[in-house]
Amino acid sequence: MPLPPPPKSMGSLLTQAAPSTTQTPSASRKTTALDKARPIPQETAPTVAVVSAATRPAASTRQTRQPIPREVAPAAADRPAQKAVQPKRAPIAQQPAKLFVLDTNVLLHDPMSLYRFEEHDIYLPMVTLEELDAHKKGLSEVARNGRQVSRELDALVADTGSGIDQGIALNRTGHAEAKGRLFFQTRAHDVELPIALPQGKADNQILAVLQDLTHIHTERPVVLVSKDINMRVKARALGLHAEDYANDKTLDDADLLYTGMMVLPPDFWDRQAKSVESWQQGGNTFYRVQGKFVAQMLVNQAVYWESGSAPPLYARVKEIRANTAVLQVMRDHTHQKNAIWGVTARNREQNFALNLLMDPDVDFVTLAGQAGTGKTLLALAAGLSQVLDARRYNEIIVTRVTVPVGEDIGYLPGTEEEKMGPWMGALDDNLEVLNQSEGGNSGGEWGRAATQDLIRSKIKIKSMNFMRGRTFLNKYVIIDEAQNLTPKQMKTLITRAGPGTKLVCMGNIAQIDTPYLTEGSSGMTFVVDRFKGWGHSGHVTLARGERSRLADYASEVL
C-alpha cells in the first residue's frame, strides 16, 4: 500500500490529524458538496482560494477532506485582513432627519422654501401662519409671496383628514426633491422664556416653540431657520440652534463670482506656435488654439495676453469643441476711430464691455463693478449708437428698482416718467456727458438742445411695477441697480424680452439696499452665474474706476 505524499501546508497536517472514524465517506462527500455550494464572503475569497489550493490532495490520493481546514485555516489566515477591511464594511450610522422650524420671513422671501430641505422635516408654528395671513394683502412682492405660500399650504393639507398630527408628505404635490414631512403646531407649548423677553411678541413665541421642540425631540436636531439676524442671535443666546436660510444663495462667497475674463498663460504663444490656426472673416481675425487651459474657458468669455515686449492679445471665446477653442480678436475701442457715440474705452475691461454691448448676437449683457467704473455711460453710449445710428433697435427703455438709500420721501406727483424722474438722476448725468461728446458744440446752443431733444425722444423711462405681462420688441432695455432685485424679480424682467431685444443689467453687488438680500442671494449674482457660458450672453466685471481721482480714492479708503 503506497504511503500518502508528505503534507504541503499546515492545513494538510490538520486534515491528517483529524479523526476520520467519526465521519463516513458518504458524509464527507455531502459536506464537500455543501462546501462547494456555500457562498464565500467577498473579502475572504482570495485567502480561501490560496489555502484550498495548498491543501488540495494529489489526484492519485483518495483522501477525505474534512471541513476543519476550510473553516479554521482560512479564519486564522484572514483574521488580520478582516481587521483592515472591517471599518469599510461597517455600515455608516444614518443621521436622523433634522426638524427645521421656519420663520415667517423665510416663507415670504422664498415661497418655494418648503421644498428646499431635501429629506428633513419642517415645522410651522401657529404664529407663522398668523403672520402670513397679515402679509398677504397688497400688491407688493412680499404680499404676492405670502399668497403663493398660502396656496402651497392649502394644496398640501387638502384631503389629509385627521392625520395631520403625523405630518404631511411634502412630495404629495409633485415636488419629488422634498422627501421630508410638514408638521403644524396642533397644541400649545408650555415653555417659560426669560422674563426679559416679552411673551406677546411673535418672534419670542416662535422661540418658545423652538425650545419646547428641542426638549421633546432629543433624538434629532431641531433648528430655527430665519432671515432675521437678531432672532438668530436670541436663539443662540438661549442655547438653541439657529441658521440663516442659505438655499437662495447662489454663491457663498462673492469673490467666487464669475468675472467674465481670463488671463492666458505667459507662454501662450510659445505653446501655440506649431498648432495655432488663424483666418480672416467679415473683417475680424480668428484663432483656433488648443491646450489644457481650454477646459477653463466659457463661450463669450474675454481672454487676454499681455507682454512688455510683444503686442497684446485681446480676444473673445466664440466656440469651444473638446480641447480646442476659437478666439475672435476684439475691436479696439480705446482708439478714437472706434469711439461709440464719442466715448472711448479707458481700460481693458471697458473695451471688453463695449465689444459685448455692440455685438448683435449677444442678447443679454451684465456689467458689474463699483461706483465710477462707467457702467451706465457705456450702456447708454452703445444704446444710442445702435438706436440712432445703426437703427438696430427702435428705442431705449430704462428702468430700475426704487429702493431708497435713506428715508422715503413719500408719494411723487405726475405721470409714470415724472414719478421715475428723481430716480433717474444718473441717467441725466450721463446723457449730459454724451451730448457734449457727440459733437454737441458744433451747432451751438440750438444744436445742443436739438440733439438733447432727439435723444430724449428715443429714451423711455418705465417703472418695474408695470412690467408684468409686457413684451418688448426690438428694444434696448437697460436695468440699472440690478443688485437690489431678487432672483424672482430678475426672472420677471428678463422674460419680458421679445424678438430683437437686447437686455443690459448693471449693478454693484457691494451696494445692496433691499432687506434680506445679500451678495450671494442677489438677483444680479443669480443671473451672472446662470447665464455664464451661454452663446448669446456675456458678463464683464469692471474693476477700475474712471469717474475722478476723488471718487476712486473714496472708494478705496472709505
Side-chain angles (χ1 to χ4, degrees):
M1 178 176 182
L3 295 175
K8 298 181 180 180
S9 64
M10 186 61 67
S12 299
L13 291 174
L14 293 174
T15 305
Q16 293 175 2
S20 59
T21 57
T22 59
Q23 192 172 11
T24 61
S26 60
S28 175
R29 286 192 296 271
K30 292 180 180 179
T31 304
T32 303
L34 181 61
D35 291 344
K36 291 181 180 180
R38 182 183 301 161
I40 301 175
Q42 185 175 0
E43 62 275 0
T44 61
T47 309
V48 172
V50 174
V51 175
S52 61
T55 58
R56 187 179 295 114
S60 59
T61 305
R62 301 184 60 84
Q63 185 177 355
T64 304
R65 187 176 61 176
Q66 300 294 337
I68 296 177
R70 186 176 182 89
E71 299 291 333
V72 176
D78 286 347
R79 193 171 294 116
Q82 289 179 354
K83 289 182 180 179
V85 177
Q86 188 173 1
K88 295 182 180 180
R89 292 189 60 204
I92 301 176
Q94 186 176 2
Q95 298 294 334
K98 297 180 180 180
L99 181 62
F100 288 106
V101 180
L102 299 190
D103 194 4
T104 312
N105 49 47
V106 175
L107 298 174
L108 295 176
H109 177 72
D110 183 8
M112 304 303 293
S113 59
L114 293 169
Y115 312 106
R116 310 289 194 196
F117 293 90
E118 298 179 349
E119 74 276 8
H120 304 289
D121 298 332
I122 295 176
Y123 188 95
L124 293 183
M126 195 59 63
V127 182
T128 299
L129 300 179
E130 290 290 336
E131 289 187 323
L132 278 177
D133 186 67
H135 285 88
K136 69 180 183 180
K137 300 176 183 178
L139 300 177
S140 63
E141 187 72 18
V142 173
R144 283 192 290 267
N145 291 343
R147 291 190 292 269
Q148 184 176 350
V149 173
S150 300
R151 289 190 294 268
E152 294 291 339
L153 294 176
D154 181 64
L156 286 170
V157 301
D159 303 329
T160 55
S162 59
I164 195 171
D165 293 337
Q166 305 300 323
I168 304 170
L170 289 169
N171 57 3
R172 70 190 304 263
T173 56
H175 298 273
E177 69 278 6
K179 300 179 177 60
R181 303 185 72 83
L182 174 64
F183 294 90
F184 291 94
Q185 180 182 354
T186 56
R187 65 177 184 86
H189 294 270
D190 188 12
V191 177
E192 293 184 1
L193 290 175
I195 302 176
L197 296 178
Q199 301 294 327
K201 192 175 180 180
D203 290 352
N204 298 334
Q205 295 181 26
I206 295 177
L207 291 176
V209 173
L210 177 68
Q211 189 172 16
D212 193 21
L213 291 175
T214 304
H215 294 160
I216 295 175
H217 299 278
T218 58
E219 74 285 353
R220 63 172 176 171
V222 181
V223 183
L224 170 68
V225 181
S226 175
K227 300 291 293 182
D228 189 348
I229 299 177
N230 292 332
M231 188 172 182
R232 297 199 302 266
V233 172
K234 288 193 294 184
R236 295 189 180 100
L238 295 174
L240 306 174
H241 296 285
E243 296 179 2
D244 187 12
Y245 180 66
N247 195 276
D248 62 332
K249 294 183 179 180
T250 307
L251 298 174
D252 294 332
D253 189 356
D255 294 336
L256 302 177
L257 184 64
Y258 172 64
T259 61
M261 295 177 295
M262 174 183 173
V263 57
L264 296 175
D267 57 347
F268 170 74
W269 287 120
D270 296 335
R271 294 186 178 184
Q272 301 295 326
K274 296 182 180 180
S275 60
V276 65
E277 302 178 21
S278 63
W279 67 92
Q280 298 280 338
Q281 182 179 349
N284 298 315
T285 303
F286 295 88
Y287 292 101
R288 179 176 279 110
V289 297
Q290 59 183 356
K292 296 181 179 179
F293 57 87
V294 175
Q296 304 175 5
M297 291 183 175
L298 294 172
V299 178
N300 282 334
Q301 185 180 26
V303 296
Y304 63 95
W305 179 87
E306 295 176 339
S307 176
S309 58
L313 171 66
Y314 302 112
R316 185 164 51 126
V317 181
K318 294 293 292 183
E319 180 183 327
I320 298 177
R321 290 185 180 180
N323 63 337
T324 63
V326 177
L327 306 181
Q328 177 185 352
V329 178
M330 290 187 179
R331 188 180 299 273
D332 185 14
H333 289 289
T334 60
H335 199 279
Q336 188 63 37
K337 66 177 183 180
N338 295 324
I340 304 299
W341 201 259
V343 175
T344 58
R346 294 188 178 183
N347 52 57
R348 180 180 57 229
E349 291 79 13
Q350 288 189 357
N351 188 32
F352 294 160
L354 284 176
N355 276 271
L356 290 174
L357 292 170
M358 296 300 295
D359 191 347
D361 292 332
V362 178
D363 302 330
F364 184 67
V365 179
T366 51
L367 301 178
Q370 62 182 2
T373 52
K375 302 182 296 292
T376 307
L377 182 65
L378 296 177
L380 272 177
L384 291 173
S385 176
Q386 296 176 89
V387 170
L388 297 178
D389 295 342
R391 300 187 182 275
R392 190 174 295 153
Y393 307 104
N394 296 334
E395 61 182 2
I396 300 175
I397 295 179
V398 184
T399 185
R400 57 160 291 173
V401 58
T402 55
V403 178
V405 178
E407 295 184 2
D408 197 352
I409 62 175
Y411 291 100
L412 297 175
T415 62
E416 179 185 359
E417 290 198 9
E418 292 174 347
K419 291 177 182 292
M420 292 294 296
W423 301 98
M424 292 298 173
L427 175 65
D428 297 333
D429 298 339
N430 286 276
L431 286 179
E432 182 179 355
V433 175
L434 293 174
N435 191 22
Q436 294 178 358
S437 61
E438 183 61 18
N441 297 325
S442 60
E445 290 294 332
W446 185 87
R448 187 182 301 111
T451 304
Q452 188 171 0
D453 292 341
L454 176 62
I455 293 175
R456 284 290 184 181
S457 65
K458 292 296 183 180
I459 297 179
K460 303 296 183 183
I461 301 175
K462 301 295 181 182
S463 174
M464 290 181 51
N465 299 331
F466 309 104
M467 289 293 183
R468 191 177 297 275
R470 296 199 58 182
T471 302
F472 298 125
L473 301 176
N474 298 321
K475 300 292 191 296
Y476 186 92
V477 183
I478 298 177
I479 304 175
D480 200 7
E481 301 294 335
Q483 78 275 3
N484 289 319
L485 295 173
T486 65
K488 186 177 180 181
Q489 291 173 329
M490 188 67 77
K491 178 182 177 181
T492 301
L493 290 177
I494 297 176
T495 52
R496 301 306 99 205
T501 296
K502 189 186 193 79
L503 264 73
V504 181
C505 289
M506 306 175 299
N508 180 14
I509 60 174
Q511 295 180 347
I512 297 179
D513 303 316
T514 304
Y516 303 123
L517 271 187
T518 62
E519 296 178 354
S521 61
S522 170
M524 182 78 177
T525 307
F526 179 72
V527 295
V528 169
D529 186 72
R530 294 300 177 91
F531 277 87
K532 65 180 181 182
W534 186 46
H536 300 283
S537 68
H539 170 73
V540 174
T541 299
L542 303 175
R544 193 182 311 172
E546 299 291 349
R547 178 170 291 169
S548 67
R549 58 188 178 187
L550 174 61
D552 296 343
Y553 186 74
S555 300
E556 181 181 351
V557 300
L558 297 182

